[in-house]
Amino acid sequence: AQKVTQAQTEISVVEKEDVTLDCVYETRDTTYYLFWYKQPPSGELVFLIRRNSFDEQNEISGRYSWNFQKSTSSFNFTITASQVVDSAVYFCALTTGGFKTIFGAGTRLFVKA
Amino acid sequence: DAGVIQSPRHEVTEMGQEVTLRCKPISGHNSLFWYRQTMMRGLELLIYFNNNVPIDDSGMPEDRFSAKMPNASFSTLKIQPSEPRDSAVYFCASSLFTGPIDTQYFGPGTRLTVL
């Protein structure tokens, strides 16, 4: 069975702090994709990144970085020098076998000025 | 380019009424998904279409829910009759499935309140 666990329900930081959002997944499939989505207060879901199971390279995009470790089944997301605009709910998701996507429960991030 | 378009953005109705939610996927995408988001259950996949054909509707909660995709640029999700427990945000997402895995792009959602 597939499962995505985001153990952090809410995180509160002060602007300019770094913050890491944890994601742990479970799957028996050898081919799978992992995603992060952002849901700002306006409600839409914004795609951030996709990573396949054969590519463990970490990725950096501006202030965002992602650390994928198959050995620990984790795909963590770090925001460096957080800003108020980063306040949102962040979802980690797992897709195996084509289309079935399982979302984690989400982590609500508050960034205070 | 326009993203996924959903209408209405907000819907308030009374129990027992029929509700129809609409979705226009991104042009050229061949897959369409309907999700429901609630505080208790998070994001749940309701139904998935590929090339306008329903592939998996195992997430549709009960017979009161139905979805159609008459063409590549339009889909509806209908609830009849609606109940208060159907109150949620309903998202439509689309993707260009070229195998093995696709990236889904979400619409802004429809917030449904059933009184």
Side-chain angles (χ1 to χ4, degrees):
Chain A
Q2 276 71 242
K3 187 177 180 182
V4 176
T5 301
Q6 295 181 255
Q8 304 151 308
T9 305
E10 289 186 0
I11 300 175
S12 184
V13 299
V14 177
E15 209 170 19
K16 298 184 182 177
E17 283 185 19
D18 299 347
V19 57
T20 295
L21 310 181
D22 297 333
C23 173
V24 174
Y25 62 92
E26 294 177 29
T27 180
R28 293 182 180 178
D29 290 353
T30 56
T31 300
Y32 53 88
Y33 280 67
L34 295 161
F35 300 80
W36 276 96
Y37 285 87
K38 174 182 180 180
Q39 188 174 39
S42 50
E44 72 274 22
L45 277 157
V46 179
F47 165 73
L48 295 179
I49 191 171
R50 156 180 149 174
R51 174 67 69 219
N52 75 56
S53 53
F54 299 107
D55 182 3
E56 284 194 76
Q57 279 191 341
N58 293 331
E59 180 151 342
I60 298 175
S61 176
R63 296 184 296 107
Y64 295 172
S65 62
W66 290 269
N67 181 263
F68 177 30
Q69 291 193 346
K70 288 179 72 172
S71 60
T72 55
S73 297
S74 65
F75 186 43
N76 296 337
F77 173 29
T78 297
I79 302 175
T80 303
S82 60
Q83 300 177 1
V84 173
V85 293
D86 297 326
S87 296
V89 181
Y90 291 86
F91 291 94
C92 180
L94 167 70
T95 301
T96 63
F99 69 90
K100 199 93 174 185
T101 299
I102 306 297
F103 284 82
T107 296
R108 184 176 296 276
L109 174 66
F110 294 99
V111 182
K112 295 179 283 190
Chain B
D1 289 341
V4 176
I5 298 172
Q6 290 186 247
S7 64
R9 293 294 309 276
H10 301 273
E11 177 80 29
V12 180
T13 190
E14 293 188 348
M15 183 173 65
Q17 296 297 306
E18 176 181 303
V19 175
T20 299
L21 311 182
R22 296 172 176 80
C23 175
K24 177 178 169 56
I26 293 173
S27 177
H29 280 189
N30 58 4
S31 297
L32 185 138
F33 308 77
W34 282 100
Y35 287 87
R36 179 171 66 175
Q37 185 180 34
T38 61
M39 288 295 292
M40 291 297 295
R41 300 175 67 91
L43 270 160
E44 303 173 279
L45 176 65
L46 300 178
I47 188 168
Y48 159 64
F49 291 88
N50 183 255
N51 292 322
N52 312 337
V53 176
I55 303 299
D56 187 335
D57 64 355
S58 59
M60 297 286 263
E62 47 196 277
D63 292 346
R64 297 184 297 106
F65 286 69
S66 62
K68 294 182 179 179
M69 191 164 187
N71 57 62
S73 58
F74 184 66
S75 176
T76 60
L77 177 67
K78 183 180 293 186
I79 308 172
Q80 180 185 22
S82 58
E83 297 182 3
R85 59 194 169 118
D86 301 330
S87 297
V89 179
Y90 291 82
F91 286 99
C92 175
S94 72
S95 69
L96 176 59
F97 183 67
T98 57
I101 303 284
D102 56 356
T103 297
Q104 298 171 33
Y105 294 91
F106 285 75
T110 295
R111 182 174 295 276
L112 174 65
T113 303
V114 183
L115 303 173

